[in-house]
Amino acid sequence: MKKVLYTVAVLAMAFTSLTSCESNSDDAPTITDTSNILPVQVDVVNPDGEIEVVRFSYDGMKLIKTEFIDGYRDYIYEDGLIIENNVYDADGEVEILESYTYDAQGRVDTIVTDIANASTNTYALSYNEDNSEITNSLINDDDLYEDSINTLRNGNMVKADQGSSYITTYTYDNNKGFFQNIEQREILVTIDSENNYPAQFSLNNILSEDRPTGFFKENAIYTYTYTDSNFPRTMTENREGEITTYTFTYNND
């Protein structure tokens, strides 16, 4: 699912050179209130030509379910905060259960990830003074796991530092990210975990993803067309020459 949504990564300088508008017609309607626009479906064409469809369900503005070809993900809320993010296979069998707790400032402070028939891990999150850097520490591994640090800027995840494994940097356009309007977006962009890819919840849309060193060395470039209300209509991902295309449908289409 991480691959589907950003890679559905799931992050403005190159805006004019890398993107194009879906419509420049003088007759295009002017949409003044875009605050209720939500994506309901993404049609994905993978590099091998395989087609996948991802569907999103909501309770008001809360994302409660994502359905993909081989299973689904549900989001559970309590007192307005997301407390669970669980993944199931196509038969409804648990694959990964994940839960969150919060500190007195309303920030996620622990993540518990239970991988079926494998392991349960607990992570502690800590924040710098302005909450722009989030350190994720595995607290049950006898110091074998390196802390990771994510950096946020202007509502976008701009850097994921995974220590000696890899460092990824992202650039963004100035248009609306497809999940910009969902409730808890500001929380979801801070959760880097087995079940959650924070970049897909960034405020804007990823233009580049650069990972120059480490085990997972690669880079990706993203180009877009946009709706009249400046949400992505199509996204083309070029990952080391492998091309994946995404077409978004919204609740106002």
Side-chain angles (χ1 to χ4, degrees):
M1 185 54 187
K2 291 182 180 180
K3 179 68 166 64
V4 169
L5 286 181
Y6 49 221
T7 37
V8 208
V10 110
L11 299 147
M13 295 182 293
F15 172 68
T16 54
S17 63
L18 290 175
T19 63
S20 62
C21 292
E22 182 182 31
S23 174
N24 291 319
S25 170
D26 293 336
D27 298 325
T30 300
I31 301 173
T32 57
D33 183 7
T34 62
S35 61
N36 292 319
I37 296 177
L38 298 167
V40 293
Q41 183 170 305
V42 181
D43 294 88
V44 185
V45 181
N46 291 302
D48 61 2
E50 180 185 4
I51 298 174
E52 298 181 57
V53 178
V54 182
R55 295 183 176 89
F56 307 107
S57 301
Y58 302 88
D59 178 7
M61 303 300 287
K62 293 187 181 73
L63 178 63
I64 59 172
K65 191 173 186 179
T66 302
E67 299 174 81
F68 17 95
I69 194 168
D70 55 357
Y72 64 94
R73 178 192 312 275
D74 67 13
Y75 299 84
I76 308 299
Y77 299 80
E78 183 177 280
D79 298 327
L81 295 173
I82 182 168
I83 59 168
E84 293 183 31
N85 177 353
N86 304 313
V87 175
Y88 304 85
D89 66 20
D91 296 322
E93 297 295 323
V94 171
E95 290 192 340
I96 306 173
L97 299 177
E98 194 163 271
S99 61
Y100 312 119
T101 64
Y102 292 80
D103 64 17
Q105 295 178 251
R107 306 172 302 189
V108 174
D109 64 353
T110 65
I111 301 171
V112 178
T113 302
D114 183 1
I115 302 174
N117 303 315
S119 62
T120 300
N121 293 313
T122 301
Y123 302 86
L125 276 62
S126 58
Y127 301 78
N128 69 344
E129 186 174 354
D130 64 0
N131 297 322
S132 63
E133 289 188 358
I134 305 163
T135 301
N136 192 321
S137 305
L138 180 60
I139 61 177
N140 60 319
D141 74 329
D142 298 324
D143 297 324
L144 297 178
Y145 172 88
E146 286 186 273
D147 291 352
S148 63
I149 302 173
N150 286 351
T151 303
L152 305 179
R153 185 177 301 123
N154 299 323
N156 299 317
M157 192 181 85
V158 297
K159 185 178 181 181
D161 184 344
Q162 305 295 318
S164 60
S165 296
Y166 60 86
I167 297 175
T168 306
T169 58
Y170 303 86
T171 64
Y172 292 83
D173 65 15
N174 289 320
N175 286 15
K176 298 178 176 70
F178 51 89
F179 277 139
Q180 182 175 122
N181 287 332
I182 65 168
E183 288 188 32
Q184 295 289 289
R185 185 201 66 78
E186 295 87 349
I187 292 293
L188 288 162
V189 78
T190 70
I191 301 172
D192 193 358
S193 65
E194 189 72 31
N195 279 2
N196 194 68
Y197 178 70
Q200 68 178 309
F201 296 106
S202 286
L203 195 64
N204 305 117
N205 302 290
I206 303 172
L207 290 176
S208 65
E209 178 183 338
D210 186 26
R211 189 179 300 150
T213 60
F215 263 142
F216 305 100
K217 178 181 177 181
E218 63 178 357
N219 65 76
I221 298 296
Y222 300 84
T223 57
Y224 300 85
T225 64
Y226 298 94
T227 68
D228 292 326
S229 48
N230 292 325
F231 288 89
R233 174 62 73 196
T234 64
M235 178 175 76
T236 301
E237 175 192 350
N238 183 339
R239 186 172 294 274
E240 304 286 348
E242 296 287 312
I243 306 299
T244 305
T245 61
Y246 307 79
T247 301
F248 295 84
T249 302
Y250 296 88
N251 58 349
N252 68 325
D253 287 334

